[in-house]
Amino acid sequence: MQKKKPAKVPVHGPQHSKQVRIIGGDWKRTPLPVLEALGLRPTPDRVRETVFNWLRHLQGDWNGAQVLDLFAGSGALGFEAASRGAQLVTMVDANTAIVRQLEAIKDKLKAANVTIQRGDALAMAQALAARGQRYDVIFLDPPYQQDLLARTLPLCLPLLKEDGLVYAEAELALTGDDAPDWLAAWEVVRCDKAGMVHFHLLRRRPA
């Protein structure tokens, strides 16, 4: 009598796979390799699906959208935006190996609407603002425990178009009585949690 194979037990918690996938748009199901790099934490599929549903509801058609991804990492957020029709996606990362990989993915996809730049996120944000660049959406998914969100978010104020939105991932919720002082200029318009990740859409508060 043949023994039955044991049933596969689903494993919960963060899965450190070597790739993620684009989940919508022209490049749907395209795999994106993930390098092992300090602080690199690709945004999970379910979170990206939720976030892009939020953005579609709040902003409508993505055609013509200008997008900035200041901590590009795996490229999951930036390439997702480009796949879904953003006119221009600028992806920034300070890690040379990550930038080379993003360039290779861009070439493979023939992603003419993607620009990749190597550099420090804070310095790049200041330089882009000085050049008068303005964006509909800015993605902020920095490494945790380095105070990067608090330092980067104020630099996004002059980079946003009037109705622009910032997507921010954090290890803590940015809502409630414990909301940090550096969030004072921002209104949280959507928020949720997946595992240990808190994710938010922010809008500049009216003057």
Side-chain angles (χ1 to χ4, degrees):
M1 183 175 174
Q2 192 173 9
K3 287 184 179 180
K4 286 185 179 181
K5 289 184 180 179
K8 289 185 178 179
V9 179
V11 180
H12 299 287
Q15 301 301 298
H16 299 289
S17 60
K18 300 301 181 187
Q19 66 180 30
V20 293
R21 290 185 181 274
I22 296 173
I23 53 178
D26 294 341
W27 306 321
K28 186 176 181 179
R29 299 191 186 89
T30 299
L32 303 174
V34 178
L35 289 178
E36 290 189 11
L38 184 65
L40 183 57
R41 203 187 55 255
T43 303
D45 289 4
R46 184 170 70 83
V47 173
R48 271 183 290 134
E49 186 65 51
T50 298
V51 170
F52 280 89
N53 283 341
W54 287 348
L55 290 169
R56 186 172 64 245
H57 175 71
L58 292 166
Q59 294 194 318
D61 193 353
W62 270 69
N63 292 335
Q66 306 276 319
V67 177
L68 175 63
D69 186 355
L70 276 173
F71 300 91
S74 68
L77 288 166
F79 284 117
E80 190 76 48
S83 177
R84 291 172 183 250
Q87 182 182 26
L88 178 65
V89 178
T90 300
M91 302 167 70
V92 177
D93 205 282
N95 185 307
T96 301
I98 285 175
V99 168
R100 287 200 196 103
Q101 181 166 274
L102 294 173
E103 291 280 10
I105 296 168
K106 173 187 170 177
D107 292 345
K108 175 186 173 184
L109 294 173
K110 297 180 172 57
N113 56 341
V114 171
T115 298
I116 297 164
Q117 299 191 36
R118 185 176 72 84
D120 174 77
L122 294 117
M124 191 66 68
Q126 290 171 311
L128 291 167
R131 295 205 295 265
Q133 297 286 346
R134 299 292 180 267
Y135 299 93
D136 298 283
V137 177
I138 299 174
F139 293 123
L140 297 180
D141 181 15
Y144 291 166
Q145 310 298 334
Q146 297 180 39
D147 206 30
L148 285 169
L149 195 57
R151 295 159 63 199
T152 310
L153 199 52
L155 303 177
C156 293
L157 285 167
L159 284 169
L160 272 187
K161 293 182 182 179
E162 187 175 346
D163 296 322
L165 295 165
V166 171
Y167 168 74
E169 280 191 31
E171 64 267 46
L172 300 170
L174 303 181
T175 55
D177 296 335
D178 296 329
D181 292 342
W182 46 263
L183 201 65
W186 300 90
E187 174 189 0
V188 179
V189 292
R190 295 282 191 282
C191 61
D192 205 343
K193 182 185 177 189
M196 301 301 290
V197 177
H198 295 264
F199 55 104
H200 318 73
L201 278 187
L202 310 175
R203 178 186 290 142
R204 183 195 296 112
R205 285 190 187 278

